[in-house]
Amino acid sequence: MMSNAAIQTTSVRVVLGALIITALVFAAYWPCLNGAFVWDDDEYVYDNDAVKSPDGVSRIWLTTEIPQYYPLTFTTFWLEWQLWGDRTFGYHLVSIVLHAANAILVWVLFRQLRLPGAWLAALVFAIHPIHVESVAWITQRKNTLSGLFYLAAFISFWKFAVGGRTRWYVATLALLTCALFAKTTTVMFPAVLVVVLWWAGRLRQKRVLLALVPLFAMCLAMSGVTIWYESTQVRAIGEEWSAGLPERIAVAGKIVWFYLYKLLVPLEFIYNYPRWQIDPHAWVSYVPAAAALISLVVMLIRRSPWDRALLAGVGSYVICLFPVMGFFNIYYMRYSFVADHFAYLPCLGVVAVVINGIAHLARRHAVNRTLMVILSAVLIAGLTLQTRRYSTAYEGAETLYRDTLEKNDDSWLMHNQLGMLNMRRHHFAAAETHFRRVCELNPRLEEGYNNLRLALVYQNRYKEAVEAARRGLAGASTNTFVALELARLLAISPDPEVRDGVESVFLGRKVVEATGGRSPDALDVLAAGYAEQGRFDEAVRTAREAVIRALDAGKQAQQQGYAEIAARMRSLADDIQRRLRLYESGTAFHAPIMPPPPETD
């Protein structure tokens, strides 16, 4: 048994080690503590009705209102909205604390696995710049939160596997459930467990094998939920996700090497990486996948203890990465096949192998301990500085988008985001420049043409706006929103050379039919088209129907707790009634389309 003095010394070292990890995490991520909301943080937090609603918790867990079914993550957002609303400091602070806690859990886990250099490995995990996206981007709370429960579940199961009581297994079940409800990419948990148990020589225990069965069942069920949600609610379907199996294999091979390179050569990280163009008919497309497979086979065939450890580390990396390797439709992959936040948990296998290998080589060659400490300090200092430098990009939305475009000017996503940012500031000419670039980079994206249309309308350039809308409609003939906005422009534009009541009615009818006659906005536009043609009886009848639909929609939204939607529908009904009075007097409605008030930073 250890003496009291030894126990106290160990305790002091543990506390000191945890404090150093925490301090370095805060040092690295300090620049983003007051960072702004970016990109889809609106959908996840400040424009999410479920997050902002008093009854939001039940809606988060029991409906499909949230963007992805990660109810535990959204519950934390709901709680934080009650505490600090749209002030971002609190959200960033929680994410940083969670990441520091995860790094400490990595240290605990690696110590349990008796890996040399466990504390150094935890430090590398803590301040590696590949995690900036997971920590500094509020939406990626799902990574840091799920990581906390994933690592705690791993520690609990390991205690059970080495002879611990059943309570450790019960804790594993509870913790894994939390991890899955925070983010379902943690479904690979039992598969990674199998690899680590095999490496440790504990896979033959009947008690352990039986305990794995419920874990696999839980993860299989949540996999099904996520696949269904992504395809039916997130709508990760269509041409951008239509790749066949050969192309997906080629993508998967590149993904494996991409993250491995980023982990080992942490020089440049981009918020939105270029989306690879894969030629499924070219043999060279499959070289990365073949190289990855051959490497795994070679490690499996060789019998040395080091190859066994290497296979376990690399194998757990690949297995943990599997859900985001392109075999399943993920909405983000319309923008890029890779993103730093996908590597948050998969990186653990690589970090373990690298640090473990360095420790073994140092021991084998009797490398001076002082030299190793100095080299480790240089490594940690370099990673911390790189992480801190990249964290500064998250100080503001514009800063992040421009940082991305400096490294990847072909990112139509970032051009679109900068365009929208300029629109909100009423910098319409600047917005137009970015939207034209979006249309150039992605000519089939109707959203780009529609945004360009709006930027031109706000500059009173109606002819060009109509041309942009037509181009958008040509690329998306089934898009009712694009058709509706073109119909509106043709009906109410203050420029008589632009107005075309015949085409406006044609488009308006198509939209009304597509929406089953239930859309008050579509009926309103159709009424304006009728009035432009001089068909005022039909305009009056259609406008009255639009008012009824708007009021009914407002009442329904109010009953369901959607106060903002209810208010918007009541306002729309009032506006339609004003137009209705014009139609009743035999006057068409013509007016410039005005932008909302400008936003300030």
Side-chain angles (χ1 to χ4, degrees):
M1 294 182 61
M2 294 176 63
S3 66
N4 289 336
I7 293 174
Q8 289 178 352
T9 301
T10 301
S11 299
V12 170
R13 287 179 177 176
V14 169
V15 171
L16 183 60
L19 287 174
I20 292 174
I21 289 174
T22 304
L24 282 174
V25 167
F26 271 90
Y29 288 98
W30 191 266
C32 68
L33 258 176
N34 288 299
F37 288 115
V38 300
W39 189 20
D40 60 352
D41 286 340
D42 57 346
E43 191 177 5
Y44 274 72
V45 185
Y46 66 90
D47 275 345
N48 188 306
D49 286 334
V51 167
K52 297 164 65 175
S53 173
D55 65 341
V57 174
S58 61
R59 289 161 61 179
I60 286 168
W61 286 86
L62 302 177
T63 72
T64 57
E65 293 181 46
I66 51 179
Q68 293 174 297
Y69 192 68
Y70 301 154
L72 188 58
T73 297
F74 281 93
T75 299
T76 67
F77 288 147
W78 178 88
L79 179 61
E80 289 174 77
W81 185 265
Q82 316 310 311
L83 294 173
W84 37 72
D86 61 359
R87 297 184 295 277
T88 59
F89 177 86
Y91 299 95
H92 286 301
L93 179 62
V94 171
S95 293
I96 292 171
V97 169
L98 284 171
H99 182 59
N102 290 343
I104 293 170
L105 288 178
V106 168
W107 180 27
V108 173
L109 175 60
F110 285 1
R111 285 187 66 186
Q112 283 190 347
L113 298 177
R114 301 185 185 281
L115 294 179
W119 185 72
L120 180 59
L123 262 184
V124 170
F125 172 84
I127 45 84
H128 198 291
I130 202 171
H131 296 322
V132 170
E133 190 170 282
S134 294
V135 181
W137 183 6
I138 292 172
T139 289
Q140 293 309 320
R141 167 69 57 75
K142 51 195 174 185
N143 266 1
T144 53
L145 185 64
S146 64
L148 182 79
F149 293 110
Y150 177 98
L151 292 164
F154 216 113
I155 292 167
S156 294
F157 190 90
W158 194 258
K159 286 182 177 291
F160 168 77
V162 297
R165 296 182 180 180
T166 306
R167 65 185 181 188
W168 288 111
Y169 181 65
V170 174
T172 302
L173 292 173
L175 291 165
L176 179 58
T177 300
C178 291
L180 292 169
F181 281 131
K183 186 177 183 180
T184 47
T185 51
T186 52
V187 292
M188 303 313 294
F189 175 84
V192 175
L193 263 180
V194 167
V195 171
V196 177
L197 289 166
W198 166 80
W199 163 76
R202 295 184 177 276
L203 195 55
R204 296 180 181 178
Q205 300 176 30
K206 183 179 179 181
R207 174 174 180 261
V208 170
L209 289 173
L210 290 175
L212 288 170
V213 175
L215 303 183
F216 274 104
M218 289 169 57
C219 292
L220 185 63
M222 284 304 295
S223 297
V225 170
T226 300
I227 292 172
W228 171 80
Y229 210 92
E230 286 283 334
S231 60
T232 62
Q233 305 302 312
V234 184
R235 304 296 293 172
I237 54 176
E239 183 179 352
E240 290 161 310
W241 297 275
S242 61
L245 182 60
E247 187 175 349
R248 291 176 186 264
I249 291 173
V251 168
K254 293 195 70 171
I255 286 174
V256 168
W257 293 108
F258 174 86
Y259 292 120
L260 189 60
Y261 175 79
K262 289 294 179 182
L263 286 166
L264 298 179
V265 188
L267 297 180
E268 183 176 77
F269 297 88
I270 308 176
Y271 185 57
N272 178 221
Y273 292 98
R275 193 175 192 268
W276 303 322
Q277 299 300 314
I278 304 294
D279 181 359
H281 304 293
W283 65 268
V284 72
S285 299
Y286 304 98
V287 170
L293 182 60
I294 291 171
S295 299
L296 289 172
V297 170
V298 169
M299 286 184 279
L300 188 61
I301 293 174
R302 290 168 59 96
R303 298 293 184 180
S304 71
W306 170 242
D307 284 302
R308 186 183 182 92
L310 183 61
L311 181 60
V314 174
S316 63
Y317 159 71
V318 174
I319 289 171
C320 202
L321 201 58
F322 182 73
V324 292
M325 284 172 61
F327 293 110
F328 305 101
N329 289 348
I330 297 174
Y331 192 81
Y332 181 85
M333 289 188 174
R334 73 178 298 213
Y335 311 115
S336 176
F337 291 117
V338 290
D340 294 339
H341 65 268
F342 289 150
Y344 190 72
L345 289 174
C347 79
L348 289 171
V350 177
V351 171
V353 165
V354 171
I355 301 302
N356 189 19
I358 291 173
H360 275 298
L361 288 173
R363 288 180 181 179
R364 176 180 295 181
H365 298 286
V367 178
N368 182 274
R369 181 179 176 83
T370 301
L371 178 60
M372 287 301 299
V373 169
I374 293 173
L375 292 176
S376 299
V378 170
L379 170 65
I380 296 303
L383 290 175
T384 303
L385 290 173
Q386 181 74 328
T387 296
R388 186 180 176 91
R389 184 180 300 113
Y390 186 32
S391 294
T392 60
Y394 286 79
E395 290 179 338
E398 183 173 6
T399 307
L400 179 61
Y401 303 154
R402 293 198 181 282
D403 176 81
T404 304
L405 290 176
E406 285 178 7
K407 303 168 184 174
N408 175 23
D409 187 54
D410 288 341
S411 171
W412 65 261
L413 173 63
M414 291 298 100
H415 279 291
N416 194 60
Q417 291 303 117
L418 265 178
M420 296 304 296
L421 192 65
N422 279 295
M423 289 282 280
R424 291 192 292 270
R425 295 171 177 172
H426 284 203
H427 300 163
F428 302 125
E432 176 193 344
T433 300
H434 286 291
F435 292 143
R436 289 194 183 279
R437 183 73 171 131
V438 171
C439 297
E440 176 187 336
L441 292 167
N442 194 345
R444 290 180 294 181
L445 183 72
E446 62 273 11
E447 180 184 353
Y449 292 108
N450 187 63
N451 289 336
L452 176 59
R453 170 195 65 81
L454 204 55
L456 292 167
V457 163
Y458 290 163
Q459 296 178 76
N460 298 322
R461 293 158 59 187
Y462 296 104
K463 290 183 180 179
E464 294 174 81
V466 167
E467 180 186 350
R470 290 191 198 284
R471 290 171 65 190
L473 192 60
S477 57
T478 59
N479 190 307
T480 57
F481 179 77
V482 176
L484 181 65
E485 292 308 312
L486 178 55
R488 190 192 311 274
L489 195 55
L490 293 170
I492 74 171
S493 171
D495 185 348
E497 295 184 14
V498 169
R499 293 197 297 269
D500 186 336
V502 174
E503 185 179 2
S504 177
V505 168
F506 173 77
L507 292 170
R509 281 176 171 171
K510 288 181 63 175
V511 176
V512 169
E513 290 174 5
T515 56
R518 296 185 298 273
S519 168
D521 201 27
L523 290 166
D524 178 33
V525 170
L526 179 58
Y530 281 136
E532 173 59 22
Q533 275 191 279
R535 298 161 62 179
F536 291 106
D537 288 344
E538 292 165 282
V540 168
R541 186 168 56 253
T542 305
R544 286 173 178 167
E545 178 66 19
V547 171
I548 294 171
R549 292 291 183 182
L551 292 174
D552 287 346
K555 290 177 183 177
Q556 185 177 6
Q558 190 69 47
Q559 291 170 355
Q560 295 176 349
Y562 300 118
E564 292 183 11
I565 296 177
R568 191 158 60 244
M569 288 296 103
R570 288 193 296 269
S571 177
L572 176 60
D574 291 341
D575 290 341
I576 297 172
Q577 285 177 328
R578 283 191 287 272
R579 290 188 276 276
L580 173 59
R581 288 192 286 272
L582 287 176
Y583 307 152
E584 289 172 337
S585 67
T587 304
F589 173 71
H590 302 141
I593 300 173
M594 301 301 294
E599 294 183 8
T600 57
D601 294 330

